[in-house]
């Protein structure tokens, strides 16, 4: 009887391995756009040897189209137990020149415990979330603190507390949304001065339910796109939190982040596929049109043959260049749009 159980276990594991392999097969990579391709920009960024680049969990673009990176230095996410208590003593926010990839500025030492998301608004303010501190911060472009939301190291689910918030999206009028997050399953809207307005969401798989709302962005109409990570989908809401639609597909992995390309009215998402939640099989960059049809995708599938990655965040500049933060290889990648027409 024991031998039969062992054989059954081995067969089951092998079947899962085969399924995971097929899931990342390159043939699933094509969309409706057969002409637009993306090429990895080699030798970008140009980082000094002295920099310890930890998990690059957040990427944001400022109005000069330079690239903010929020990273964890030598800090590791604890596999078991509580978050660390101490703050990271090295700089955690770096600003990269879009063209050269060299560092323009850096700051953020001695402030954060577990960096997560970063967003830059139209006034070049830098918004970040820290899942160790359970807080959301707003800085000016040079790193001067302007606003703090949440109570340090205290979790909760009311209007004053977060439970490991993940991302921020800012509307044109200055109001903003926070995805909250790992501990809670909700989206919260605040006024421009940080006053709680309303929230929506709960744990689940239905409409307006989430299993780790992990990333946020807004389109030109103010609609809210949520990377519903563990539900392997993107959910879309209007500015009052009413459900509009979702983008889902059996070939998606965990949807980690989204960014809306207002220039071309397209949504860009990144996913992550693992084998038994242990071994990473790679990420895709998935580009949708406004109706949710996949235009193209690349990464573990499609036409890109680079290293296996775990894309935690994604951003796009005004030239259509796509930037990703890979927390599997601790690297930042830039992809340039090309055409085969």
């Amino acid at each position: 009887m024991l031998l039969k159980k062992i054989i059954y276990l081995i067969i089951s594991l092998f079947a899962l391995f085969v399924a995971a392999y097929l899931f990342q097969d390159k043939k699933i990579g094509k969309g409706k756009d057969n002409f637009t391709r993306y090429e990895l920009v080699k030798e970008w960024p140009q980082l000094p040897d002295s920099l310890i680049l930890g998990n690059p969990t957040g990427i944001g673009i400022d109005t000069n189209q330079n690239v903010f990176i929020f990273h964890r230095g030598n800090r590791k996410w604890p596999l078991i137990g509580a978050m660390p208590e101490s703050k990271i003593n090295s700089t955690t926010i770096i600003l990269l020149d879009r063209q050269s990839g060299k560092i323009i500025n850096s700051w953020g030492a001695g402030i954060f415990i577990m960096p997560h998301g970063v967003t830059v608004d139209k006034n070049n303010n830098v918004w970040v979330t820290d899942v160790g501190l359970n807080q959301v911060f707003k800085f000016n472009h040079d790193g001067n603190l302007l606003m703090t939301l949440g109570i340090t190291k205290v979790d909760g689910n009311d209007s004053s507390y977060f439970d490991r918030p993940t991302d921020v999206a800012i509307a044109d009028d200055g109001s903003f949304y926070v995805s909250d997050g790992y501990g809670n399953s909700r989206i919260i809207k605040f006024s421009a001065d940080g006053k709680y307005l309303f929230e929506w969401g709960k744990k689940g798989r239905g409409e307006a339910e989430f299993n780790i709302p992990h990333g946020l962005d807004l389109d030109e109409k103010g609609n809210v796109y949520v990377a519903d990570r563990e539900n392997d989908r993107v959910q879309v809401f209007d500015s009052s939190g009413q459900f509009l639609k979702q983008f889902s597909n059996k070939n998606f992995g965990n949807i980690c982040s989204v960014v809306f390309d207002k220039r071309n009215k397209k949504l860009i998402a990144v996913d992550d596929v693992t084998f038994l939640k242990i071994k990473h099989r790679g990420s895709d960059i998935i580009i949708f049109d406004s109706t949710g049809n996949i235009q193209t995708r690349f990464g573990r599938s499609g036409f890109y043959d680079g290293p296996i990655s775990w894309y935690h965040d994604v951003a796009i500049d005004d030239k259509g260049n796509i930037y990703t933060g890979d927390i599997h290889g601790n690297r930042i990648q830039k992809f340039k749009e090309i055409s085969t027409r």
Side-chain angles (χ1 to χ4, degrees):
M1 182 65 70
L2 178 60
L3 180 59
K4 287 183 177 180
K5 288 183 178 180
I6 293 173
I7 293 173
Y8 177 79
L9 178 61
I10 292 172
I11 293 173
S12 299
L13 289 174
F14 180 76
L16 286 170
F17 177 84
V18 172
Y21 178 82
L22 293 175
F23 189 79
Q24 57 129 16
D25 189 272
K26 292 180 177 296
K27 293 181 180 179
I28 69 173
K30 301 295 179 63
K32 290 188 174 183
D33 183 352
N34 294 318
F35 302 100
T36 305
R37 293 289 184 269
Y38 290 84
E39 179 180 77
L40 179 65
V41 179
K42 298 180 180 179
E43 308 302 325
W44 195 100
Q46 297 286 329
L47 301 178
D49 293 338
S50 59
L51 175 69
I52 300 175
L53 182 68
N55 293 158
T57 56
I59 299 183
I61 308 292
D62 70 12
T63 58
N64 294 317
Q65 304 305 298
N66 294 318
V67 185
F68 272 100
I69 305 296
F70 196 24
H71 74 105
R72 293 175 179 163
N74 59 5
R75 178 60 48 82
K76 304 296 184 182
W77 184 285
L79 295 179
I80 57 174
M83 285 286 175
E85 290 290 327
S86 64
K87 295 179 179 179
I88 301 169
N89 58 17
S90 59
T91 58
T92 52
I93 295 178
I94 57 177
L95 179 60
L96 301 176
D97 180 86
R98 174 174 72 173
Q99 300 298 336
S100 68
K102 294 182 178 180
I103 295 178
I104 299 173
N105 194 13
S106 63
W107 44 276
I111 301 176
F112 306 110
I113 287 179
M114 192 62 68
H116 202 272
V118 63
T119 304
V120 186
D121 66 25
K122 64 181 181 180
N123 297 313
N124 273 337
N125 297 309
V126 182
W127 301 72
V128 301
T129 61
D130 188 312
V131 295
L133 290 169
N134 284 319
Q135 289 178 301
V136 175
F137 300 92
K138 176 185 178 182
F139 298 90
N140 71 7
H141 198 267
D142 295 323
N144 297 309
L145 183 62
L146 303 177
M147 181 189 298
T148 303
L149 295 176
I151 309 302
T152 305
K153 298 182 183 179
V154 180
D155 60 80
N157 60 4
D158 62 15
S159 60
S160 299
Y161 295 82
F162 302 107
D163 194 344
R164 289 176 284 173
T166 53
D167 203 9
V168 181
I170 303 96
D172 288 340
D173 64 0
S175 62
F176 58 97
Y177 303 82
V178 176
S179 49
D180 180 39
Y182 283 92
N184 296 322
S185 298
R186 61 179 180 168
I187 308 299
I188 312 170
K189 186 173 184 179
F190 296 89
S191 66
D193 60 358
K195 179 183 177 181
Y196 172 91
L197 297 177
F198 60 87
E199 65 181 75
W200 72 92
K202 63 179 182 178
K203 185 71 172 290
R205 295 188 59 85
E207 295 179 359
E209 296 177 346
F210 307 105
N211 190 355
I212 306 183
H214 197 258
L216 289 174
D217 204 16
L218 309 178
D219 66 15
E220 77 283 358
K221 298 177 181 178
N223 295 322
V224 185
Y225 293 74
V226 182
D228 187 7
R229 195 182 81 174
E230 299 298 306
N231 284 330
D232 304 343
R233 64 183 177 180
V234 179
Q235 291 197 69
V236 188
F237 305 87
D238 67 17
S239 59
S240 63
Q242 296 300 307
F243 176 84
L244 299 177
K245 56 188 174 182
Q246 71 176 21
F247 300 169
S248 61
N249 187 293
K250 65 180 181 180
N251 287 323
F252 292 168
N254 294 158
I255 301 295
C256 295
S257 183
V258 291
V259 62
F260 194 84
D261 178 7
K262 295 180 180 179
R263 181 179 65 112
N264 293 310
K265 293 182 173 56
K266 294 181 179 181
L267 181 74
I268 302 167
V270 288
D271 76 350
D272 174 58
V273 170
T274 60
F275 174 56
L276 298 180
K277 297 291 183 181
I278 299 174
K279 183 174 180 58
H280 288 277
R281 294 298 183 187
S283 287
D284 261 359
I285 298 171
I286 309 165
I287 302 175
F288 304 89
D289 64 18
S290 58
T291 65
N293 291 315
I294 296 175
Q295 294 299 291
T296 191
R297 62 190 294 179
F298 61 98
R300 68 173 185 279
S301 61
F303 47 83
Y304 166 61
D305 293 319
I308 292 175
S309 299
W310 177 2
Y311 294 145
H312 193 269
D313 200 7
V314 62
I316 187 169
D317 66 21
D318 64 356
K319 300 297 184 183
N321 298 305
I322 296 174
Y323 303 84
T324 59
D326 168 23
I327 64 173
H328 181 69
N330 283 357
R331 59 186 155 236
I332 304 153
Q333 293 180 312
K334 176 180 179 179
F335 297 94
K336 180 181 180 181
E337 181 180 321
I338 59 175
S339 176
T340 60
R341 290 181 186 272

